[in-house]
Amino acid sequence: MSPAILETIRDYTKRLALALKVVGLMNVQYAIQRDTVYVLEVNPRASRTVPYVSKATGVPLAKVAARLMAGKKLADMNLPLVHHNGVAEVAVREYYSVKSPVFPFNKFRGVDTILGRKCAPPAK
């Protein structure tokens, strides 16, 4: 993603968190089409992705969020921080991690498990 799109995501996230008065974790889903950032959904809660992101980044997000909710300051948690337009952000290594969905195909007898492949309907 371009630096401009990342800055837009940071800006939207900050504005949403402040408007919702979120302290701790917030789940925001974005979609990007061309150079436009759309907010699909925002929930002031954790998501099932938090453990994955924690493992991928090495940052214990649930623990950090719990401490923030208990009144601790991010600056006091001995985490590597970077600042973008006055907002502290935990610095993470620059690489990509991919979360792959798991589909329960074994629960559907007769279903073709190759996604995107056209197939005949299952025999009756």
Side-chain angles (χ1 to χ4, degrees):
M1 288 186 276
S2 72
I5 288 178
L6 290 174
E7 195 55 43
T8 298
I9 290 171
R10 285 184 182 103
D11 177 54
Y12 288 2
T13 303
K14 176 184 175 183
R15 289 167 48 192
L16 289 164
L18 291 172
L20 295 170
K21 297 180 173 67
V22 173
V23 175
L25 293 169
M26 181 175 77
N27 180 28
V28 185
Q29 294 181 26
Y30 292 101
I32 301 164
Q33 183 179 33
R34 296 178 185 87
D35 288 328
T36 303
V37 178
Y38 298 93
V39 176
L40 300 179
E41 177 181 25
V42 59
N43 296 296
R45 61 169 174 79
S47 70
R48 292 183 303 262
T49 304
V50 169
Y52 170 79
V53 174
S54 293
K55 186 173 183 178
T57 62
V59 177
L61 294 173
K63 185 182 289 186
V64 169
R67 289 178 177 163
L68 290 170
M69 289 184 282
K72 301 286 184 188
K73 300 292 180 197
L74 190 60
D76 298 333
M77 292 191 210
N78 201 26
L79 296 167
L81 299 177
V82 294
H83 296 273
H84 295 280
N85 292 329
V87 177
E89 184 176 302
V90 177
V92 295
R93 297 174 297 255
E94 296 217 8
Y95 63 92
Y96 297 93
S97 298
V98 178
K99 179 182 170 194
S100 178
V102 177
F103 298 106
F105 288 122
N106 61 337
K107 295 184 179 186
F108 302 102
R109 282 185 274 147
V111 172
D112 185 350
T113 59
I114 305 295
L115 295 176
R117 181 167 68 184
K118 293 182 180 181
C119 60
K124 292 183 181 181

